[in-house]
């Protein structure tokens, strides 16, 4: 038993005082406490009086018999001082801030009735980092709570952001103060979701979309992802987990989109193509596991950190890119547009989708031109003054507007796996499974889930992962040979797309669960639930693509992956500047050996050592061979690689390196 | 730098990582040893360390910028520390510092000489307040300095430096 402001509260295994106090019906203000992250105890907002001592409630374990006071003169004074100090160090341009209205600092300052700041305003001159296609970092708004640091490290396993410098210069940012676009950020946007202020925000593409809508020579088309329809309503105060599909279609037409298509349709198509790929691998004996490829943050992580598994990724484009590609390749040539340019916009729960459309693979074809997150879409609807709640429900447009429940499940963790299993049931003609439809064994919220499913006599081992940190854990287990699966579904965001980085920001920890239950609820009420039975999918194959996995389907719906450098930077020089010693007539040879993780683990240091010894023992080579250690030449899958006079050479070993060097010297 | 020097450094870097068993928990010690070798922590070397220890580069950078002992810019061969703790400050350490800077031809905001021989740092307290103002040149402590005495000491130091340079060339 604990007394909180005179109220008796029973202890029931609570980890900290904060939880006990909230049981007493008191919400203490906090910045750095998030139940899914470790306790940091830095913001000091939750100070309480425990038996006469001041303690931070978030990091103090409850002890039986404690007497807690949360609302004394002294505590109120402390809280106000902390907020005032934060405000004095904060760029207080609230009216033009991305987070105006959803900022925790603003809300708490208001809650505590701050009417003036007694401290002089600090100067705000750190440059804003807008290098990333997904995320904007404004250090002048950072209150150093560290929420993003812990999210990125603990949940996403990336560690892109960290504290740096100290004292008054302390900051949070990427390594070497580099722009976010030059480090290994996956663009997942989870850091934005936890940032209490506008220090981290989603790159705003609303002005670009308005421009498209008002351009007379364009034919603007939009597609809407599954998870948007169960979250957009939150931005209009309709409560959590409310479905607003019909209103979205209506609002988008009002905004001026000429066609409103459903990404769920292309999720159905993805399920069909991916299952075809899986069944093909079952026949060919691998490679296993087949990793899903719908999530661009996951794909980028794999390209940067686990290149050896790139061949395991499904070659399917994500549903967003598939639909864009169909619109541009098939629909455009089909429907006359009076010479207008079709521009494809998509509404996504995701920040990484903004990055995906800029992948080199899509540079020429540009299946999708612009991406709006759920929050950005909400802002556009509000800006246009549309009374969202009063909108009459409307339908999506054909030929890409008919959907099944299977495709809809893509919006939540486990959904891609379930859609693939449903599709496999159809393709393998497993009547029982087709009747049962639901695969309960893949559902849930745990970070890593396993299931074994038998379809028409085929045993399938399935694993579902959400959160990139969990994905890493699983990859390490697979690497060590401890785990074997046929299919692994990965979604970078906790909860899957429903918890995407572009969804409306909410302080309510139950919001993700509500969105996921709604998605599952809609599916269970649908008539069409098996992706291959989607008539629009069948029609698409008939008119444009032929069979699943056909050559045309591959041209339109599949893509490829490649190793990706993690961090931009200089090489380490290993030979000095002695070009003066160069004998006349001989050209110097630049040899840059890769010491990025992939090559380093494969022994690039031994290659370098061999080269150094050789250069040292050969006076003719000193000054002629410019030896460098460089970071990632993006050929990590092919053994130790080097760039010799601009050309990439792969598969280098200490044994063959001298031969390789000799050849280069001769050629030079 | 000559090839020999550069290679020695790179080999040494790998020896340091071996010595500390490639353990992330030894990061501070690794950075100390690396700084002793390179006289600062070059960005690409920090990336290399992160790769080797399999930790995020942001962690290495965070540690390297947290401790005042680490430098992200190349430092001179000899480090001159001018104390600016309260006692030294009151007794005119700023003027002592100006005298040193002048002798070395350093402009305000520049802390290392172009020839990479000297770096001048201001430190908060060397713990020898009785001797204020205190200056440390390398490991040697000079107490009760004045701009005038410092000029003499610097002249001697520079002359010695030139002499040893001449010897190097012979
Ligand atoms: S977007 Fe994701 S990977 Fe990038 S910094 Fe934020 S949490 Fe880390
Ligand atoms: S960027 Fe945001 S979440 Fe990260 S430390 Fe600053 S205020 Fe906190």
């Amino acid at each position: 038993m604990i007394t909180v402001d005179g109220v008796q509260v029973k202890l029931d295994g609570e980890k900290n005082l904060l939880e006990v106090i909230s049981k007493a019906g008191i919400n203490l203000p906090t910045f750095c406490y998030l139940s899914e992250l470790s306790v940091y105890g830095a913001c000091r907002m939750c100070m309480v009086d425990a038996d006469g001592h001041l303690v931070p409630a978030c990091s103090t374990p409850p002890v039986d018999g404690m007497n807690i006071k949360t609302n004394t003169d002294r505590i109120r004074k402390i809280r106000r001082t902390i907020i005032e100090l934060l405000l004095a160090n904060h760029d207080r341009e609230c009216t033009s801030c991305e987070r105006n209205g959803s900022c925790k600092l603003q809300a708490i300052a208001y809650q505590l009735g701050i009417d003036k700041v007694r401290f002089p305003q600090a100067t705000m001159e750190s440059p804003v980092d807008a290098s990333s296609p997904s995320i904007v970092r404004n250090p002048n708004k950072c209150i150093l709570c560290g929420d993003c640091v812990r999210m990125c490290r603990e949940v996403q396993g990336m560690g892109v952001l960290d504290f740096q410098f100290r004292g008054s210069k302390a900051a949070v940012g990427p390594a070497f103060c580099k722009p976010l676009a030059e480090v290994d950020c996956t663009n997942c946007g989870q850091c934005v979701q936890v940032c209490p202020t506008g220090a981290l925000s989603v790159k705003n593409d609303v002005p670009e979309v308005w421009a498209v809508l008002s351009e007379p020579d364009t034919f603007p088309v939009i597609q809407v992802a599954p998870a948007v329809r169960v979250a957009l309503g939150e931005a209009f105060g309709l409560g959590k987990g409310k479905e607003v599909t019909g209103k979205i279609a209506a609002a988008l037409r009002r905004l001026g989109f000429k066609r409103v298509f459903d990404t769920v349709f292309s999720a159905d198509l993805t399920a069909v193509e991916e299952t075809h790929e899986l069944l093909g691998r079952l026949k060919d004996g691998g490679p296993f596991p087949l990793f899903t490829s719908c999530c661009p943050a996951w794909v980028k992580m794999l390209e940067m950190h686990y290149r050896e598994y790139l061949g395991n990724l499904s070659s399917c484009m994500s549903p967003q890119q598939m639909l864009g590609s169909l619109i541009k390749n098939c629909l455009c040539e089909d429907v006359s547009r009076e010479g207008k340019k079709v521009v494809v916009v998509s509404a996504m729960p995701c920040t990484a989708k903004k990055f995906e459309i800029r992948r080199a693979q899509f540079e020429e074809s540009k299946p999708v031109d612009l991406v709006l997150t759920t929050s950005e879409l909400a802002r556009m609807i509000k800006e246009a003054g549309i009374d969202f709640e009063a909108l009459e429900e409307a339908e999506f447009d054909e030929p890409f507007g008919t959907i099944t429940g299977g495709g809809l499940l893509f919006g939540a963790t486990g959904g891609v796996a379930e859609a693939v299993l449903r599709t496999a049931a159809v393709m393998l003609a497993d009547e029982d499974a087709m009747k049962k439809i639901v695969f309960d064994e893949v559902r849930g919220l745990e970070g890593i889930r396993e299931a074994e499913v038998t379809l028409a006599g085929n045993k399938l081992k399935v694993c579902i992962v959400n959160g990139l940190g969990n994905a890493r854990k699983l990859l390490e287990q697979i690497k060590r040979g401890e785990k074997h699966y046929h299919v692994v579904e990965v979604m970078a965001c906790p909860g899957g797309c429903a918890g995407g980085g572009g969804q409306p920001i909410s302080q309510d920890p139950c919001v993700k669960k509500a969105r996921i239950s709604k998605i599952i609820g809609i599916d269970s009420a649908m008539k069409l639930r098996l992706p291959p039975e989607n008539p629009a999918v069948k029609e698409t194959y008939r008119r444009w693509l032929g069979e699943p996995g056909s050559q045309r389907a591959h041209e339109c719906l599949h893509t490829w992956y490649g190793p990706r450098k993690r961090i931009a930077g200089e090489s380490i020089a290993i030979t000095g500047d002695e070009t003066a010693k160069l004998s006349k007539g001989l050209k110097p040879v630049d040899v840059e050996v890769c010491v990025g993780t992939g090559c380093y683990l494969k022994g690039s240091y031994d290659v370098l050592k061999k080269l150094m010894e050789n250069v040292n023992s050969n006076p003719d080579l000193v000054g002629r061979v410019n030896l460098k250690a460089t970071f990632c030449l993006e050929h990590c899958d092919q053994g130790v690689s080097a760039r010799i006079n601009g050309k990439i050479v792969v598969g280098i070993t200490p044994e063959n390196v001298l031969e390789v060097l000799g050849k280069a010297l001769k050629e030079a | 730098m000559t090839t020999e020097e550069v290679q020695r450094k790179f080999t040494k870097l790998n020896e340091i990582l071996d010595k500390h068993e490639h353990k992330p928990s030894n990061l501070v010690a690794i950075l100390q040893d690396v700084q002793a070798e390179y006289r600062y922590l070059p960005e690409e070397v920090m990336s290399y360390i992160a790769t080797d220890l399999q930790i995020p580069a942001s962690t290495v950078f965070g540690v390297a910028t947290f401790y005042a002992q680490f430098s992200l810019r190349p430092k001179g061969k000899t480090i001159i520390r001018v104390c600016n703790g309260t006692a030294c400050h009151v007794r005119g350490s700023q003027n002592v510092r100006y005298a040193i800077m002048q002798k070395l031809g350093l402009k305000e905001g520049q802390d290392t000489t172009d020839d990479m021989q000297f770096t001048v740092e201001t430190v908060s307290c060397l713990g020898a307040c009785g001797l204020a103002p205190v200056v440390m040149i390398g490991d040697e402590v000079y107490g009760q300095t004045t701009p005038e005495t410092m000029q003499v000491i610097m002249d001697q130091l520079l002359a010695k430096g030139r002499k040893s340079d001449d010897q190097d060339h012979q």
Side-chain angles (χ1 to χ4, degrees), chain A residues 142-148 172 195-197 199-200:
Chain A
C142 177
I143 58 169
L144 301 177
C145 66
D147 289 348
C148 58
V172 161
C195 180
T197 72
L200 290 165

Side-chain angles (χ1 to χ4, degrees), chain A residues 153-373:
Chain A
R153 183 167 52 207
E154 294 171 9
V155 177
Q156 298 303 66
M158 296 301 299
V160 171
L161 302 168
D162 208 336
F163 284 96
Q164 45 196 232
F165 304 101
R166 68 189 295 175
S168 64
K169 295 206 180 88
V172 161
F176 315 124
C177 304
K178 281 191 188 298
L180 213 44
E182 291 181 18
V183 295
D184 58 346
C185 170
T186 65
N187 306 297
C188 72
Q190 288 302 309
C191 52
V192 176
Q193 287 282 324
V194 294
C195 180
T197 72
L200 290 165
S201 58
V202 175
K203 161 89 190 315
N204 180 9
D205 286 313
V206 170
E208 282 73 12
V209 176
W210 282 132
V212 166
L213 288 170
S214 51
E215 168 68 51
D217 290 334
T218 59
F219 188 86
V221 170
I222 191 161
Q223 54 169 312
V224 183
V228 175
R229 66 204 67 198
V230 293
L232 187 70
E234 293 162 24
F236 296 94
L238 302 183
K240 57 183 179 237
K242 188 122 183 353
E243 188 206 347
V244 290
T245 317
K247 289 191 194 302
I248 294 179
L252 290 172
R253 277 206 198 96
R254 282 269 192 108
L255 290 177
F257 287 100
K258 295 283 195 302
R259 293 285 183 279
V260 181
F261 293 133
D262 201 335
T263 315
V264 174
F265 153 80
S266 53
D268 282 333
L269 194 61
T270 307
V272 172
E273 285 292 319
E274 202 157 304
T275 309
H276 181 268
E277 193 177 355
L278 172 67
L279 298 183
R281 288 197 197 183
L282 280 175
K283 225 184 266 150
D284 301 341
F288 292 121
L290 169 76
F291 285 123
T292 58
S293 59
C294 310
C295 171
W298 148 246
V299 169
K300 188 172 186 234
M301 193 274 258
L302 211 65
E303 290 182 321
M304 294 186 299
H305 293 272
Y306 292 91
R307 288 97 167 193
E308 61 272 40
Y309 288 109
L310 288 181
N312 292 59
L313 268 178
S314 160
S315 63
C316 289
M317 288 180 191
S318 69
Q320 157 176 283
Q321 297 303 95
M322 277 201 185
L323 187 45
S325 174
L326 275 179
I327 294 168
K328 292 227 170 151
N329 282 310
C330 305
L331 197 65
C332 284
E333 62 188 46
D334 208 63
V335 188
S336 140
R337 294 278 169 248
E338 299 147 19
K340 288 195 176 176
K341 189 172 160 247
V342 173
V343 176
V344 179
V345 179
S346 58
M348 295 281 143
C350 176
T351 48
K353 294 275 164 194
K354 288 176 186 274
F355 162 80
E356 182 180 37
I357 62 170
R358 290 172 172 81
R359 284 173 64 87
Q361 288 85 335
F362 303 121
E363 206 173 285
E364 245 171 72
S365 54
K366 268 207 165 307
V368 175
D369 298 280
L370 288 162
V371 175
L372 291 172
T373 58

Side-chain angles (χ1 to χ4, degrees), chain A residues 38 40 219 233 280 282 332 358 417 471 530 589-590 622:
Chain A
S38 66
Y40 182 51
F219 188 86
L282 280 175
C332 284
R358 290 172 172 81
L530 302 170
V589 176
D590 290 322
V622 176

Side-chain angles (χ1 to χ4, degrees), chain A residues 362-402:
Chain A
F362 303 121
E363 206 173 285
E364 245 171 72
S365 54
K366 268 207 165 307
V368 175
D369 298 280
L370 288 162
V371 175
L372 291 172
T373 58
T374 311
S375 303
E376 286 171 283
L377 178 58
R379 202 165 338 124
M380 283 184 83
I381 296 172
K382 285 181 184 166
E383 190 179 344
I386 296 170
D387 182 349
F388 189 73
E389 216 182 333
L391 281 172
E392 206 143 317
E393 311 221 330
E395 298 283 318
F396 282 83
D397 286 307
E398 290 308 334
F400 308 132
T402 303

Side-chain angles (χ1 to χ4, degrees), chain A residues 153 158-166 173-178 476 566-578 595-598 600-601 605 608-609 611-613 615-616 622-623 627 629 631, chain B residues 1-15 17-18 22 38 41-69 72:
Chain A
R153 183 167 52 207
M158 296 301 299
V160 171
L161 302 168
D162 208 336
F163 284 96
Q164 45 196 232
F165 304 101
R166 68 189 295 175
F176 315 124
C177 304
K178 281 191 188 298
E476 291 300 329
R566 292 200 286 204
I567 185 161
E570 296 289 310
S571 323
I572 306 178
I574 294 179
T575 45
D577 184 20
E578 291 174 273
V595 291
T597 316
Y600 189 68
L601 294 177
Y605 180 58
L608 267 173
K609 227 157 78 190
L611 280 172
M612 284 195 282
E613 282 161 18
V615 172
N616 291 347
V622 176
L627 203 54
F631 293 99
Chain B
M1 267 191 282
T2 64
T3 293
E4 205 183 311
E5 271 176 283
V6 181
Q7 285 193 6
R8 201 204 59 230
K9 283 200 163 84
F10 188 67
T11 315
K12 194 70 199 285
L13 168 62
N14 287 284
E15 281 167 15
L17 289 165
D18 281 343
H22 308 265
Y38 281 79
L41 297 173
E43 179 186 311
E44 60 276 16
V45 171
M46 284 192 272
S47 289
Y48 188 79
I49 294 170
T51 307
D52 181 83
L53 302 182
Q54 300 192 43
I55 54 174
S58 65
T59 307
V60 178
F61 185 66
V63 170
T65 54
F66 185 80
Y67 296 103
Q69 56 173 309
L72 300 188

